[in-house]
Amino acid sequence: MGLRWLGWAVVAAVALALPQVLPLYFTHLVLLTMIYGLSAMSLDLLAGYTGLTSFGHAAYFGAAAYTVGILTTQHRVPPALAFPAGVAAAAALAAVYGLLATRAVGVYFLIITLALGMGTWGLAYRWSSVTGGDNGLPGIPPLELGLPWSTSDPKHLYYLILVIFCLAAFLLYRLVRSPFGLSLRGIRESEGRMRMLGYNTWLHRYVAFVVAGTFAGLAGSLYAFYNRFVSPPDLHIAASAEAVLMVILGGAGTLFGPLVGAGIVVFLRNLVSAYTHRWMLILGVVFVLTVMYAPQGVAGGARALWARWRGRAVTPPVAGPGKEPVAER
Amino acid sequence: MSAVCLRTEQLRKHYGGLRAVDGVDLEVRQGERRAIIGPNGAGKTTLFHLLSGEVPATAGRILLFGQDITHLPSYRRTALGIGRTYQVTNLFPRLTVLENALLAAFGLRREKYDPFRAAWQHRQALEDARRLLEEFGLWEKRDWPIGSLSYGEQRQLEIVLALAGRPRLLLLDEPTAGLSPAETQVVTRLVAGLDPQITVLLIEHDMDVAFQVAQRVTVLHFGRVLAEGTVDEVRGNPEVQAIYLGVGEL
Ligand SMILES: Nc1ncnc2c1ncn2[C@@H]1O[C@H](COP(=O)(O)OP(=O)(O)O)[C@@H](O)[C@H]1O
Ligand SMILES: [Mg+2]
C-alpha cells in the first residue's frame, strides 16, 4: 500500500515537473501520449475489459475533432462551447453506431466497427463543403476556456490538458473497479452465465460502447484544440488500428497499459522517423516481440513480475494452489 | 397443498430432425425436490436450457407460478426467481472467487449499474457474497483465481452463483459429476439442507444422490417422460429397469 502511494507521488511529481525541465519537443510528445493514450484507454474498456475489439475507434475521436473544427472555423463558436459539443457529437455517434455494432460479438463486431469507421472516414473525405475534404480544417483556435491564464503558452496548455486527462483517467479508474466495470469483465468471460445471473448483457455492452466512444471524443476534442488542425487521416482505419496496437502493446485489460502503449507508439514514430523512414517496420518488430515475450503487454508483464516479486501467484498453479494469496482488503 | 412452482405443457425442442425434448409435461410443486434421470442424450440438459431461457422452445409453454415465461429472455427469468448451475462448469475463469460471487450477488441488484463506487464497497452485495462463500467454505480462498480451485470447489462455486439471486426454483445439472465420494457427500448435504421453500430440479447420474435428495423422480428417455413417481415407484418400473439394463445399477 505504501509503495503504491509512493509510486503515484513520483508519477505526479514527474508529470508536474516535465514541462519545466524537458525541451518543448518532449513536452509535445508527452501531450500527444496523453491524448492518444486517453483514446486507447477508452478503447481498452471495450477491447480489454468487455472483450469486444473495435476496429473503428478513431471514428469517435475524429467525430469530436471534426465537430470542434467545423464549429470553431465555420461558425465561430467559442472553444468553451465547441469543446463539450465535440464530446457530445462523439457520444451521439457512438450511441447510433453502437446500436448496429453491439448486435454482434467477436469477429462480426470487429467487422461492423471496421465498416462503420471506414464510412465515417469516407464522409470526412468526401463531404468537402463542410469538412474541407482532403485539405482538412486548418485554423482551429487555441483552447481558451475563459480561464485566468492564457493557454497559448504551451506550458499552461500542458497543465490544462494534464488536468483534463487526469480527471478522465480517474473516472475510468473508478469505472473499471465498480460493479458496472466488473460486469463488463464478467461478460468477457462468460456472457451466457451473466445473463443467467440476471444481467441484460446487451445493455451493458451498449453502455460500454457509448462510454468508450465518449471518452475517445474527449481525446478528440483535446486533439483538435491542441493540433489546431483536423484532417481525414485522424479518423482513418490506420488510426483505429494504431489505437488497437496501443492497447495490445501496453496490455489489454489494464487501465494504464494503453497509455504506455500510446507512449511507445508516439515516441517511436516521432523519434525514430527522424533517423529512418522505416519507423513502421520498427514498430512492427516491437509489436511482434511484445506478442511473443509479453503477450499481456508491457503493463500486464510488469504486473506479473511485480506479483512474482511480491510472492503472489498470478497465473494459477495447475496442480493446486501454492501459497495463499494476500487478502486485498 | 403447496402452489405449483413450475409447469410445462407439451414442451419441445427440435434440432432439425432430432427431437431433443419431445413434448414434456411437468408439474413441480413449491418446495419439492425433483430428480430428473435418464440415459445420456435423453434431453435433460436441453430441458434445463429451455426452462432457463438459454435455448428457445420449438413449441409448448413454460409457466412459473402460473406466469407464462416461455418467451422471456433468461435474465428476466432470473429476476422472476430461476437460478441454475451447468453440467460443464461455467464460471468466470480470469476473475477471483470473490469477484465471481460478487457478480452473482449484484445480478439482481440495481447497484450493478453503478459505474463509480468500487464493487467491494457495496456492503449488501459483499455480505451476500460472503455469507454464501462462508457457507461453502470458500471465503478463505476469496482472492484465488478460479483456476487454483480444485474441481470440486469449482462445482461448489457453481452452486454459490446460482444461489446468490435467492432463486425460488433452482436447477442443478449434475452437481456431483466428477466429484470424489467425500465431495459428493458435502454437496448432497448442502442441497438437502437448502431452504425448504426453494423448489429444486436436480439432474443426477448418481442414483444414490438422486434418491437421497429427491422425493419424486422423473425419467426422461429420447426427450419424453418415460416414468414419473416416487423413488420406489420408479425403481420398480419395468420400462425404467429396461433402459437402465446394462447401463448400471438402479
Ligand atoms: N445445440 C445442439 N444442436 C444439436 N443437437 C443438440 C444440441 N444440444 C443437444 N443436442 C442433442 O440433443 C440430445 C439431448 O442432449 P442433452 O440435453 O445434452 O442430453 P442429456 O443432458 O440428457 O445427456 C442429444 O442427442 C444431443 O446430441
Ligand atoms: Mg446433460
Side-chain angles (χ1 to χ4, degrees):
Chain A
M1 201 57 185
L3 266 176
R4 173 170 295 181
W5 283 109
L6 191 68
W8 281 115
V10 169
V11 169
V14 168
L16 287 174
L18 223 71
Q20 311 297 340
V21 295
L22 281 187
L24 203 57
Y25 183 61
F26 279 90
T27 309
H28 163 67
L29 294 187
V30 171
L31 271 175
L32 285 182
T33 298
M34 283 196 284
I35 291 171
Y36 287 118
L38 181 57
S39 175
M41 284 161 75
S42 73
L43 172 61
D44 193 30
L45 200 60
L46 281 178
Y49 285 90
T50 320
L52 293 169
T53 306
S54 164
F55 247 88
H57 209 57
Y60 316 103
F61 182 93
Y66 265 97
T67 302
V68 166
I70 292 164
L71 288 180
T72 53
T73 62
Q74 293 171 9
H75 302 283
R76 310 257 161 259
V77 173
L81 282 180
F83 186 89
V87 181
L93 188 71
V96 174
Y97 282 6
L99 285 178
L100 302 166
T102 56
R103 291 281 147 209
V105 294
V107 72
Y108 297 102
F109 175 84
L110 192 150
I111 291 170
I112 294 174
T113 52
L114 183 74
L116 292 170
M118 283 171 79
T120 312
W121 172 81
L123 194 67
Y125 190 70
R126 296 274 175 197
W127 196 14
S128 17
S129 58
V130 173
T131 63
D134 210 6
N135 299 323
L137 293 169
I140 298 172
L143 184 53
E144 292 293 358
L145 295 178
L147 298 172
W149 14 276
S150 163
T151 48
S152 33
D153 179 338
K155 281 182 192 168
H156 288 172
L157 183 60
Y158 172 88
Y159 288 117
L160 178 61
I161 293 183
L162 181 67
V163 166
I164 295 175
F165 172 83
C166 288
L167 273 175
F170 174 70
L171 290 178
L172 286 171
Y173 175 85
R174 296 302 301 237
L175 190 146
V176 299
R177 271 157 186 71
S178 70
F180 183 74
L182 185 59
S183 79
L184 299 183
R185 290 195 288 150
I187 289 169
R188 176 190 73 200
E189 302 289 303
S190 174
E191 179 158 357
R193 185 63 186 243
M194 285 295 282
R195 287 170 67 80
M196 205 53 232
L197 290 177
Y199 293 86
N200 178 354
T201 54
W202 172 79
L203 184 63
H204 288 243
R205 283 192 278 117
Y206 178 69
V207 170
F209 193 95
V210 177
V211 169
T214 306
F215 277 92
L218 183 58
S221 269
L222 282 176
Y223 173 80
F225 281 113
Y226 178 63
N227 198 43
R228 317 267 303 264
F229 171 59
V230 209
S231 62
D234 294 330
L235 38 64
H236 193 257
I237 310 292
S240 290
E242 210 165 79
V244 174
L245 187 75
M246 291 169 184
V247 170
I248 295 173
L249 272 182
T254 66
L255 188 64
F256 290 100
L259 181 64
V260 176
I264 295 173
V265 171
V266 165
F267 275 81
L268 271 182
R269 177 167 54 204
N270 289 281
L271 298 184
V272 177
S273 63
Y275 304 103
T276 162
H277 291 301
R278 303 237 163 86
W279 86 272
M280 281 295 265
L281 183 73
I282 293 180
L283 189 62
V285 170
V286 170
F287 181 65
V288 169
L289 289 178
T290 308
V291 170
M292 280 173 66
Y293 294 105
Q296 300 165 303
V298 175
R303 186 197 263 175
L305 280 179
W306 164 251
R308 191 179 303 171
W309 184 66
R310 291 266 303 261
R312 269 197 220 183
V314 137
T315 35
V318 181
K323 122 188 340 180
E324 186 164 342
V326 190
E328 218 168 69
R329 293 186 309 129
Chain B
M1 201 152 190
S2 53
V4 175
C5 168
L6 173 76
R7 183 200 299 280
T8 69
E9 296 170 358
Q10 283 300 300
L11 193 59
R12 292 177 185 280
K13 180 66 201 180
H14 297 180
Y15 289 112
L18 177 83
R19 298 173 169 201
V21 172
D22 191 12
V24 166
D25 293 309
L26 276 183
E27 186 177 294
V28 186
R29 298 201 163 264
Q30 182 177 11
E32 191 178 330
R33 308 290 144 105
R34 173 78 62 96
I36 300 198
I37 65 171
N40 252 330
K44 307 180 296 294
T45 296
T46 306
L47 176 64
F48 271 20
H49 287 333
L50 293 174
L51 298 178
S52 66
E54 285 158 287
V55 157
T58 308
R61 295 212 303 161
I62 306 167
L63 303 166
L64 184 72
F65 288 104
Q67 181 180 355
D68 189 337
I69 60 166
T70 317
H71 303 290
L72 290 184
S74 49
Y75 65 90
R76 297 266 299 116
R77 299 189 197 195
T78 305
L80 290 175
I82 296 185
R84 78 165 286 187
T85 67
Y86 293 79
Q87 183 176 358
V88 179
T89 306
N90 188 353
L91 301 169
F92 307 104
R94 283 159 71 195
L95 307 187
T96 65
V97 171
L98 179 58
E99 285 170 333
N100 271 264
L102 276 175
L103 273 177
F106 279 118
L108 294 179
R109 293 180 179 279
R110 294 190 59 78
E111 296 105 291
K112 67 184 165 188
Y113 298 113
D114 180 349
F116 195 70
R117 262 172 72 204
W120 59 266
Q121 285 178 327
H122 290 264
R123 291 255 157 259
Q124 289 176 334
L126 184 66
E127 259 326 295
D128 279 1
R130 178 190 157 105
R131 183 176 47 78
L132 279 165
L133 288 178
E134 276 175 349
E135 195 176 323
F136 283 73
L138 288 168
W139 178 247
E140 269 63 55
K141 302 184 174 175
R142 61 189 175 278
D143 291 325
W144 289 24
I146 297 304
S148 306
L149 294 182
S150 74
Y151 180 72
E153 288 168 331
Q154 294 188 18
R155 295 303 293 172
Q156 296 188 37
L157 190 53
E158 273 279 331
I159 303 178
V160 167
L161 296 201
L163 286 175
R166 303 173 194 271
R168 297 192 286 174
L169 171 62
L170 180 63
L171 312 174
L172 299 173
D173 195 345
E174 304 204 14
T176 67
L179 296 191
S180 71
E183 289 169 330
T184 300
Q185 268 314 305
V186 171
V187 170
T188 308
R189 240 178 284 130
L190 274 165
V191 174
L194 286 172
D195 176 352
Q197 290 298 303
I198 302 179
T199 311
V200 181
L201 248 62
L202 172 79
I203 298 178
E204 191 46 79
H205 258 328
D206 186 330
M207 294 305 149
D208 291 338
V209 176
F211 295 158
Q212 217 171 314
V213 173
Q215 303 101 32
R216 290 178 71 79
V217 180
T218 298
V219 187
L220 279 190
H221 191 42
F222 289 125
R224 290 169 170 275
V225 177
L226 181 81
E228 186 178 309
T230 62
V231 169
D232 289 332
E233 285 164 9
V234 166
R235 254 195 236 261
N237 183 315
E239 275 187 292
V240 176
Q241 286 171 347
I243 65 162
Y244 272 93
L245 224 64
V247 177
E249 84 294 3
L250 186 77

